[in-house]
Amino acid sequence: MIRRILSDERATMPDMKPSMRVAAYVDHLDAALVDGFVASFERSKLAAVATELNLPADRLDHIHRGYFVALAVTAWADKQITFDEEAQLTMVAAALAIPMPEAIELVLTARDIEPPLLVAGLGLTPRDRIGFADPLGTEVPAWHQRATGAGLTPTEELSSARYVVTSDPNSDEHHHLWEAGSMVIAEWAFDAAIEQLEEQRRQRGLIL
């Protein structure tokens, strides 16, 4: 699991160790790629974060390829790559500007890597404040109830939320939230992430 740097630690970015700066950037990259592609304003946000973290272009290329390999390692965990996993890897390679021949080589290389290298997805934690912005397929009160039941912290103050969930995260209407530091994610992606969190809590006997 790639450890995330929480939003209240951003003020110390210039003093971070190199590994922490990389983790902070991957945190933003994770959220931008949760729907498989990077919108133009997400790309601008990532560029701004990279500049703030003092990560040069060649370093970003290395990080992007490492991220892609981590995804491929996860896909190989069951000794095969499904059609859906292949589609996801293809989309991510395109989003990260990794040429397809190189992407195929990286996927083949990942087959022989032991699986402790995992991408954490959204990496939801109880400290994360989750906001919900219309339009949504599920009503906001229902989402608040479900998020609370999964141990998360819902909020109606979108500008202070770590994540903002909406049906269309690429809409220009949410650009101000990105600029405020929130990560705007698709409702279906949040649903998939919270299902995993709910399952983990069920296995530990925290919820029925």
Side-chain angles (χ1 to χ4, degrees):
M1 176 175 177
I2 300 175
R3 189 172 183 82
R4 300 191 308 102
I5 306 299
L6 298 174
S7 58
D8 56 1
E9 295 173 326
R10 288 181 185 170
T12 64
M13 280 185 177
D15 299 324
M16 287 180 181
K17 295 179 180 179
S19 61
M20 295 178 68
R21 292 202 300 269
V22 170
Y25 177 80
V26 169
D27 182 17
H28 288 80
L29 183 64
D30 241 358
L33 281 170
V34 74
D35 54 2
F37 64 94
V38 180
S40 59
F41 61 86
E42 291 174 318
R43 199 172 299 279
S44 297
K45 176 66 176 180
L46 286 171
V49 169
T51 299
E52 185 178 1
L53 293 170
N54 195 25
L55 295 172
D58 58 344
R59 181 64 171 148
L60 290 181
D61 287 342
H62 180 76
I63 293 170
H64 291 168
R65 280 156 177 75
Y67 183 95
F68 181 78
V69 169
L71 283 179
V73 168
T74 304
W76 279 117
D78 57 357
K79 307 303 181 184
Q80 63 178 348
I81 291 183
T82 66
F83 177 81
D84 287 343
E85 289 169 336
E86 181 180 351
Q88 181 192 26
L89 289 169
T90 300
M91 291 176 66
V92 171
L96 297 179
I98 301 175
M100 193 50 57
E102 182 182 354
I104 292 173
E105 290 183 9
L106 291 174
V107 170
L108 293 176
T109 299
R111 180 172 50 187
D112 299 322
I113 298 176
E114 292 296 324
L117 179 63
L118 298 175
V119 175
L122 294 180
L124 296 170
T125 74
R127 290 184 61 184
D128 289 328
R129 294 166 63 84
I130 314 295
F132 300 88
D134 287 326
L136 289 165
T138 300
E139 293 185 358
V140 172
W143 267 127
H144 277 223
Q145 182 178 5
R146 187 176 175 191
T148 301
L152 301 174
T153 306
T155 179
E156 295 183 359
E157 298 178 6
L158 300 186
S159 60
S160 67
R162 176 63 170 168
Y163 296 105
V164 176
V165 181
T166 183
S167 64
D168 184 10
N170 301 311
S171 171
D172 290 340
E173 294 181 4
H174 305 309
H175 194 197
H176 69 286
L177 294 171
W178 283 99
E179 292 185 336
S182 299
M183 298 182 186
V184 186
I185 59 176
E187 185 176 15
W188 66 264
F190 180 75
D191 182 57
I194 202 172
E195 280 184 2
Q196 295 178 15
L197 186 58
E198 288 168 339
E199 178 59 27
Q200 291 172 15
R201 290 173 65 84
R202 274 192 290 268
Q203 290 175 358
R204 297 179 185 180
L206 298 176
I207 59 175
L208 298 178

